[in-house]
Amino acid sequence: MTSLAFDYRRPDSVDQALALLAEADPGTKVLAGGHSLLPIMKTRLAQPGRLIDIGHLGELRGVHRLGDGGLSIGALTTYSRLLANPAITVYGLLADVLPTIGDVQVRNRGTIGGAVAHVDPAADLPACLLALDAEVVVRSARGGRTIALTSFFEGAFNSVLLPDELITEIRLPAASGDYGSAYRAQEQPASGYALAGAAVVIGRSTGGGGRFDRAAIGITGVGECPYRASAVEQEFLSSGDPAAAAHATDGVLVASDIHADREYRTALIRVQVRRALEAAIERVG
Amino acid sequence: MAIDALGASIKRREDPRFITGAGNYIDDIKLPSMVHMAILRSPYAHANIRSVDVTAARAMPGVIDVIVGADVPYNPLPMVWPAGGSAGLRNNVNSPRILATDSVKWTGEGVAAVVAETPAQAFDALAAIVVDYEPLPAVVDAEKAVAPGAPQLHENAPNNVVFEWSVGDSAGTEAAIEAAEVVVRQRLVNQRLIPNPMETRGDIGWYNPGTEEYTLWMSSQTPHIQRLLVGIFTMGIPEHKLRCIAPDVGGAFGTKIFCYADYALVLLASKRIGGRPVKWIEGRRENYQSTIHGRDHITYLEIAGKRDGEITGLRVKTLANLGGRLSTIGPGIPTTLYARVLSGCYKIPNVYAEVTGVYTNTTFVDAYRGAGRPEATYVIERAMDLFAREIGMDRAEIRRRNFIAPDAFPYDNPSGLGTASGGAKIYIDSGNYEPALDKALAMVGYDDLDARKVEARLRGKYLGLGLSTYLEVCGVAPSKWIGAVGEGWGAAMWESSNIRVHLTGKVVLTMGTSPQGQGHETTYSQVISHELGVPVDDVIVQHSDTQGTPFGYGSYGSRTSSVGSTAAIKAAGKIREKARRYAAHMLEAAPEDIEIDGANYSVRGSPDKVKTLQEIAFALDLAFDAPVGMEPYLDETAYYDPTNCTWPFGTHIAIVEIDEETGHVDLVRYVAVDDVGNKINPMIVDGQLHGGIAQGVGQALWEGAVYDDQGQLLSGSLLDYALPRAAWLPSFELDETVTPSPVNPIGVKGVGEAGAIASTAAVSNAVVDALGPLGVRHLDMPYTPQTVWRAIQTAKGGQA
Ligand SMILES: Cc1cc2nc3c(=O)[nH]c(=O)nc-3n(C[C@H](O)[C@H](O)[C@H](O)COP(=O)(O)OP(=O)(O)OC[C@H]3O[C@@H](n4cnc5c(N)ncnc54)[C@H](O)[C@@H]3O)c2cc1C
């Protein structure tokens, strides 16, 4: 199919983009890599009246180190660019996840900002960013704010982002002490998205053995949007045992579809969380 | 002569244009003043249509015409293969109309069409058409559809039954089962598949108001047949007023054999708007609802025999889901092409099969790669494993024990092809099954299997091995058999070929067959290069245009290399004979004294007295020296009707590992030893096998159309319908045995479907073998992680 007709704008700067967004036309959508938005426009599930194409804005691209050792990832950074950046090697789970997202074309077009803004319930990267305690930096003509990713997602395809706001960057805090991370997922074989995926970051602030005092676990494909499995985190911090994965869906309404019903998905995510924990423990150092 | 091209793995001549974007597919064709059509499809699986209001749509920007069912002056689509035979012919055929008039029977049935200046305008206008539907209860499952109280689809088909058909010896099989030491029974589901050629369908219709002739560009496997089915059967237009052209076709897998409503619709639309060409391109989601599906059987099997492994009887009851209305040859697939080949490569004295064709509120079902034979192979190969397990016999051994012996050919299968009606009987003409089995077992290291299972358990995996010793029938078909109503489709299945050797010695081969990516332009050139002694590059192959090619039945059923090539070889023989006569004239010798070596025609005993084919063609074209009574030009046509089908066979072995915690199945090895007779181009044979194997593995592990109870297709796009990906498959290990087919001069059999026919059963048997230690005896496909996980939980007595 082809999409409905729409008005197309191509601002020259972030400020221009924000000015266009400030016109607050409810039918307006930002276009980044287009790999989530355009397919749903072609099937007419999405019918935006206006697209603001930001795909070419260099200001929003690139990865750089922050003063505190954290990482700033421009919203328009593609998966491929991120994967090629040496800075990410310390985040083992990013090296796990990025090569598994879509295919080469998807990774060359799909952007980090788009992945966060779209809030696909089964997207891979958001679970990893959750586990990394990422922050979302947004701007609008009214000003800017920084939102912890843990309070960014609101439900399927839904976030706290306001219609006039643009995501400009994603920030990852510095990695410190001994820590390890891993992403383990089983693909939904048709779409390649996660049927159930678990991102784990664990760490000890004091090196050289001892108890873990940090555990962050992001889960995708299971709930209505990616979430942190805090029950697993707490259990793991006290037991140090990957069996804590049994709590992966505590308090979550587990999704059910033709590929995985509630019961199977629940069993599957427990396995993935446990395996991700085991892999992360092995990588600690 | 240079190296013989026949049997050489030369690269495909058509590939450079296909892979550099220089191909010419339907959507590449842009004609002057062309306009675009979109089809409004029913959102309901079952509904009456109260009214269709197109007023608003007509007023939309760019809209030129809107067509509804009542505007179409044509017949419903032809259905040419009734099950007939023992079923008797019933007057309950319901085939699709060009556009639905009073009811819709599946989600996706066409209701109205918009013609507009651009595709986008046509789509936009679809949304403005108002259809008043009266929704009705739907049924999508064949077993539920024939149960009392089910929603009824058609007044002329009580209980939704299309036909009740049987083959074989009912009483004899009953007696064999009664008397047997062991009987094993199992219900099997062969799930519905969505074929997914890379290029969806599409067509361009053009009515020429000056000549009152129609031209139809179509993504089709059968342009000649469609000229009849669309023309005289549907629209009432005879052949000389309709030209059908299939340009490059991007895959088909059977789906493009058939007659579809859009063909007549684009022609009608072009006529209604005064002769502007009308293009329709099928979207992928649309393809899932408007192009045929495959398989969809529910089968109850009983296999009977002795404790020593001798099989004495096979009884099968199958419900075949044929969809909401019948496709062109829908009923022929689960009857003739399935039930008559159920016994595979085994000598089973008593076979009886009952098949019930069923209407349901689903997309129509017809031939999909293998067409009936994969379903049959699945039944018999699962049955052999079930029986072996029951009596505690080795699975390779039970197959060996029951193979038709190499000295038993021609083998007269008591329930086999040609036993229904007046048509000719078809024999299994050749075979030698054990060497392929032995070779495959050796390749896979069959004797080490138990050790590997133990090793896999240490890694938390269940390892399983599955065998499929398949027999396939292809190279369809002798017209005397396939033409018999009830047995076949009431029409012939010969092939045709024309060869012209032009003045320069270059050869134009014109065929009635019609490729969809198989590489015919390469393989035919190899055959003709061999026959006439000219380089492959000096041969051009033309096909797929009813203007300029002789009538042919098209390409499907792995028939082109056997039937088409033989027609070409016959035409080449005629060329050689005429060239011989003219060479004799030129060299002043008797025709009997001319010896032919490649392209050289010389006088026996005087090798220096020689003329080349090019010299002969040159002289015969200019013709000033032609002897009295000899026609100018080397231009010969031949028709070939085969005397039998061909019978490829082989052994495929799959090894899988199952993750006990997630149920994920990993295909870790795949060994295939195929006997497809002689090979024209071994590389192309391997390519066909690779693709076919992957497709069959797809059915076993991932693919399946899923409808909800209201008839909505839940697996409605590639986001939810999983196709195999290269990275999920191991490197296939291929080998061969060679038993040339006796029916054609080059001993080829056909390989287009073999991989898909064999591999599903091999993988299925491997998965069940892996789960065997848990007590699992059978599991229905596809083996998605969820299905396998649940089987493991159930077997372990878990909560599932
Ligand atoms: C074939 C295919 C396979 C795929 N496979 C996977 C997979 O395996 N796993 C996976 O996780 N994903 C997969 N994806 C999705 C892919 O990751 C998306 O491209 C990506 O998630 C979205 O990024 P984008 O730049 O393309 O966003 P777009 O499509 O341009 O936009 C998506 C949404 O985000 C909004 N948006 C984008 N950028 C911003 C911004 N800076 N500020 C505010 N709003 C913004 C848009 O308005 C839109 O609503 C696949 C996609 C395709 C086409």
Side-chain angles (χ1 to χ4, degrees):
Chain A
M1 279 246 277
T2 58
S3 69
L4 277 179
F6 53 85
D7 176 29
Y8 175 81
R9 296 300 175 89
R10 195 168 186 275
D12 292 328
S13 65
V14 172
D15 287 337
Q16 272 188 22
L18 296 179
L20 285 167
L21 281 170
E23 292 171 14
D25 175 346
T28 296
K29 275 278 179 192
V30 168
L31 177 67
H35 268 44
S36 289
L37 184 55
L38 296 182
I40 57 175
M41 285 173 64
K42 284 188 177 174
T43 57
R44 302 197 168 184
L45 287 171
Q47 308 188 339
R50 173 190 278 191
L51 287 189
I52 300 176
D53 187 350
I54 58 166
H56 56 288
L57 295 180
E59 311 167 57
L60 295 178
R61 219 170 284 145
V63 182
H64 60 269
R65 196 58 76 204
L66 295 167
D68 62 1
L71 211 58
S72 160
I73 304 168
L76 281 181
T77 308
T78 62
Y79 295 119
S80 299
R81 287 295 163 130
L82 188 58
L83 184 60
N85 194 299
I88 70 146
T89 49
V90 293
Y91 305 99
L93 82 176
L94 288 182
D96 282 348
V97 71
L98 290 169
T100 71
I101 295 174
D103 49 32
V104 175
Q105 292 93 325
V106 173
R107 296 194 289 275
N108 283 345
R109 293 291 302 176
T111 67
I112 308 308
V116 170
H118 195 57
V119 204
D120 189 305
D124 292 287
L125 191 67
C128 298
L129 297 177
L130 273 176
L132 288 167
D133 283 326
E135 290 175 328
V136 185
V137 181
V138 308
R139 275 179 62 192
S140 71
R142 296 173 289 113
R145 54 180 181 141
T146 300
I147 309 161
L149 192 61
T150 44
S151 46
F152 185 83
F153 301 133
E154 291 224 292
F157 307 105
N158 201 358
S159 72
V160 300
L161 197 71
L162 297 169
D164 65 341
E165 284 178 322
L166 194 67
I167 299 178
T168 55
E169 63 185 286
I170 305 294
R171 290 191 175 176
L172 303 183
S176 63
D178 285 349
Y179 70 97
S181 69
Y183 181 69
R184 289 291 179 271
Q186 183 157 304
E187 280 185 336
Q188 193 264 66
S191 70
Y193 284 66
L195 204 53
V200 163
V201 178
I202 53 172
R204 305 180 181 100
S205 34
T206 52
R211 295 172 67 90
F212 290 104
D213 55 14
R214 215 190 136 228
I217 295 168
I219 288 184
T220 188
V222 176
E224 59 169 353
C225 61
Y227 65 92
R228 282 275 290 262
S230 36
V232 182
E233 294 169 1
Q234 279 155 25
E235 174 74 21
F236 180 77
L237 286 178
S238 67
S239 70
D241 185 350
H247 296 284
T249 60
D250 285 9
V252 174
L253 180 63
V254 177
S256 180
D257 59 30
I258 60 171
H259 304 285
D261 62 17
R262 194 155 287 147
E263 186 186 28
Y264 175 61
R265 207 177 234 112
T266 304
L268 184 62
I269 190 60
R270 289 177 181 164
V271 173
Q272 302 301 342
V273 170
R274 199 201 67 230
R275 289 182 179 177
L277 277 168
E278 288 166 353
I281 291 171
E282 240 173 55
R283 288 178 182 174
V284 168
Chain B
M1 204 182 107
I3 313 162
D4 192 348
L6 187 67
S9 286
I10 63 174
K11 286 190 181 158
R12 305 194 339 157
R13 310 173 72 186
E14 44 277 85
D15 281 352
R17 78 171 191 269
F18 290 165
I19 61 182
T20 60
N24 185 42
Y25 299 94
I26 283 286
D27 210 15
D28 294 319
I29 300 174
K30 296 181 171 65
L31 301 175
S33 82
M34 189 167 77
V35 296
H36 300 269
M37 186 176 86
I39 299 174
L40 182 70
R41 299 191 175 278
S42 166
Y44 293 104
H46 198 190
N48 289 326
I49 299 173
R50 292 202 192 94
S51 65
V52 185
D53 183 351
V54 301
T55 329
R58 283 196 171 280
M60 296 279 288
V63 171
I64 304 163
D65 195 10
V66 183
I67 307 174
V68 300
D71 299 328
V72 180
Y74 307 143
N75 295 324
L77 296 178
M79 200 295 288
V80 300
W81 195 341
S86 63
L89 288 176
R90 293 192 193 182
N91 187 21
N92 67 358
V93 169
N94 300 278
S95 61
R97 293 182 173 281
I98 304 307
L99 290 169
T101 48
D102 43 14
S103 68
V104 289
K105 303 300 181 192
W106 77 92
T107 53
E109 185 163 7
V111 175
V114 172
V115 180
E117 295 290 344
T118 71
Q121 288 169 332
F123 285 124
D124 289 351
L126 290 186
I129 297 174
V130 183
V131 185
D132 184 7
Y133 292 102
E134 177 199 347
L136 299 169
V139 61
V140 299
D141 174 282
E143 210 155 36
K144 289 182 183 153
V146 297
Q152 300 289 300
L153 271 71
H154 301 284
E155 272 177 19
N156 63 1
N159 301 319
N160 300 314
V161 168
V162 184
F163 58 80
E164 287 169 301
W165 179 97
S166 65
V167 63
D169 177 2
S170 169
T173 307
E174 170 69 25
I177 290 172
E178 283 290 306
E181 291 172 13
V182 182
V183 182
V184 183
R185 297 184 169 83
Q186 183 63 49
R187 178 182 190 269
L188 309 173
V189 177
N190 196 300
Q191 81 273 26
R192 174 181 287 248
L193 301 180
I194 302 177
N196 277 294
M198 198 181 292
E199 183 200 24
T200 56
R201 293 190 312 101
D203 13 273
I204 304 170
W206 177 46
Y207 172 74
N208 180 337
T211 61
E212 298 182 341
E213 290 168 11
Y214 294 85
T215 304
L216 179 59
W217 287 263
M218 59 203 320
S219 188
S220 172
Q221 302 171 242
T222 55
H224 288 279
I225 298 182
Q226 295 315 318
R227 186 166 56 157
L228 287 168
L229 297 185
V230 179
I232 197 73
F233 281 76
T234 306
M235 299 170 65
I237 302 165
E239 300 95 307
H240 67 305
K241 290 287 187 188
L242 174 60
R243 174 181 176 189
C244 290
I245 304 169
D248 286 333
V249 175
F253 307 127
T255 64
K256 297 175 183 175
I257 299 173
F258 312 114
C259 189
Y260 290 97
D262 40 89
Y263 295 152
L265 199 50
V266 288
L267 294 173
L268 172 67
S270 177
K271 185 173 187 187
R272 279 168 62 103
I273 65 172
R276 293 177 73 180
V278 176
K279 179 188 270 188
W280 172 74
I281 296 294
E282 185 184 53
R284 179 66 60 184
R285 281 167 196 260
E286 189 176 27
N287 170 270
Y288 274 33
Q289 304 194 324
S290 61
T291 288
I292 63 108
H293 292 175
R295 320 278 188 258
D296 206 342
H297 288 192
I298 298 171
T299 291
Y300 292 84
L301 86 83
E302 296 167 279
I303 182 163
K306 300 188 185 154
R307 294 225 160 260
D308 68 3
E310 183 187 340
I311 305 297
T312 54
L314 175 70
R315 184 159 61 191
V316 167
K317 284 189 185 174
T318 293
L319 288 164
N321 189 339
L322 297 175
R325 305 187 198 272
L326 300 181
S327 171
T328 314
I329 59 170
I333 309 307
T335 51
T336 298
L337 293 180
Y338 161 76
R340 290 188 194 288
V341 294
L342 268 170
S343 50
C345 53
Y346 309 109
K347 185 176 178 197
I348 305 180
N350 301 287
V351 180
Y352 178 66
E354 280 177 15
V355 183
T356 303
V358 184
Y359 286 115
T360 65
N361 296 108
T362 59
T363 296
F364 38 23
V365 176
D366 210 318
Y368 168 49
R369 200 171 192 173
R373 288 149 294 156
E375 297 91 313
T377 303
Y378 184 64
V379 170
I380 187 64
E381 291 302 304
R382 284 294 302 123
M384 295 309 275
D385 268 29
L386 284 160
F387 196 87
R389 180 186 165 101
E390 184 69 26
I391 61 170
M393 190 170 190
D394 177 79
R395 292 166 293 159
E397 235 14 77
I398 195 166
R399 287 173 166 80
R400 222 186 276 287
R401 174 88 178 71
N402 291 284
F403 278 154
I404 302 164
D407 59 6
F409 299 100
Y411 177 70
D412 181 0
N413 178 358
S415 60
L417 298 167
T419 53
S421 52
K425 176 88 178 118
I426 294 288
Y427 295 90
I428 304 176
D429 60 16
S430 60
N432 188 8
Y433 305 136
E434 259 190 283
L437 174 63
D438 289 336
K439 205 171 204 176
L441 292 174
M443 284 166 74
V444 83
Y446 189 62
D447 295 339
D448 300 334
L449 181 60
D450 290 342
R452 274 187 278 171
K453 287 186 174 181
V454 171
E455 183 275 330
R457 284 305 297 135
L458 301 176
R459 293 182 281 115
K461 308 275 177 155
Y462 296 109
L463 183 143
L465 177 148
L467 281 164
S468 173
T469 48
Y470 75 100
L471 172 65
E472 110 111 311
V473 54
C474 62
V476 285
S479 301
K480 274 188 189 142
W481 162 62
I482 200 79
V485 173
E487 177 75 24
W489 65 353
M493 240 190 233
W494 40 258
E495 273 313 325
S496 61
S497 171
N498 172 270
I499 298 179
R500 273 161 291 156
V501 185
H502 290 302
L503 178 144
T504 55
K506 307 298 183 213
V507 179
V508 175
L509 172 72
T510 310
M511 298 299 304
T513 52
S514 219
Q516 314 110 49
Q518 295 93 333
H520 293 177
E521 291 170 22
T522 305
T523 48
Y524 277 139
S525 302
Q526 291 180 257
V527 171
I528 291 310
S529 165
H530 172 82
E531 292 295 319
L532 296 182
V534 297
V536 165
D537 285 343
D538 283 1
V539 184
I540 279 292
V541 183
Q542 296 177 340
H543 51 79
S544 310
D545 182 346
T546 59
Q547 177 171 305
T549 64
F551 190 97
Y553 284 86
S555 292
Y556 43 85
S558 308
R559 65 191 300 270
T560 302
S561 64
S562 167
V563 189
S565 293
T566 307
I569 289 167
K570 276 185 74 177
K574 290 185 180 179
I575 292 281
R576 274 199 312 267
E577 281 320 301
K578 186 163 178 185
R580 178 204 298 278
R581 280 191 283 128
Y582 195 69
H585 170 72
M586 292 170 94
L587 297 168
E588 296 175 340
E592 312 79 74
D593 291 335
I594 299 294
E595 283 185 336
I596 306 175
D597 178 17
N600 289 335
Y601 292 69
S602 60
V603 180
R604 179 172 298 122
S606 340
D608 50 324
K609 291 186 76 179
V610 59
K611 293 286 175 191
T612 66
L613 184 64
Q614 193 250 308
E615 290 168 324
I616 297 166
F618 183 90
L620 250 181
D621 181 357
L622 297 183
F624 51 76
D625 186 33
V628 179
M630 186 177 284
E631 292 176 9
Y633 233 91
L634 281 174
D635 178 346
E636 298 290 343
T637 298
Y639 289 78
Y640 171 68
D641 199 340
T643 53
N644 197 354
C645 299
T646 54
W647 303 87
F649 61 86
T651 295
H652 285 213
I653 300 181
I655 296 185
V656 300
E657 287 187 3
I658 296 174
D659 183 323
E660 67 174 319
E661 289 186 311
T662 65
H664 184 267
V665 181
D666 196 9
L667 178 65
V668 295
R669 272 191 82 187
Y670 199 92
V671 167
V673 178
D674 292 279
D675 193 320
V676 299
N678 292 331
K679 296 174 181 176
I680 297 169
N681 182 322
M683 182 186 67
I684 291 183
V685 167
D686 283 358
Q688 288 291 321
L689 285 168
H690 278 244
I693 291 167
Q695 222 158 354
V697 173
Q699 169 163 27
L701 296 185
W702 302 292
E703 296 185 42
V706 180
Y707 284 97
D708 72 10
D709 289 343
Q710 277 78 50
Q712 295 298 324
L713 184 61
L714 300 180
S715 56
S717 78
L718 282 165
L719 275 177
D720 282 302
Y721 186 91
L723 294 177
R725 299 184 190 196
W728 299 344
L729 300 165
S731 245
F732 301 145
E733 301 162 53
L734 305 187
D735 209 332
E736 62 174 8
T737 62
V738 180
T739 313
S741 166
V743 296
N744 59 64
I746 48 177
V748 297
K749 297 182 185 172
V751 68
E753 297 158 300
I757 288 170
S759 65
T760 306
V763 176
S764 174
N765 282 339
V767 168
V768 176
D769 179 51
L771 300 176
L774 295 169
V776 173
R777 207 179 86 111
H778 175 74
L779 196 59
D780 283 325
M781 304 180 290
Y783 304 120
T784 62
Q786 168 167 284
T787 298
V788 174
W789 176 84
R790 185 146 286 130
I792 294 171
Q793 298 302 307
T794 309
K796 287 182 171 170
Q799 83 266 46

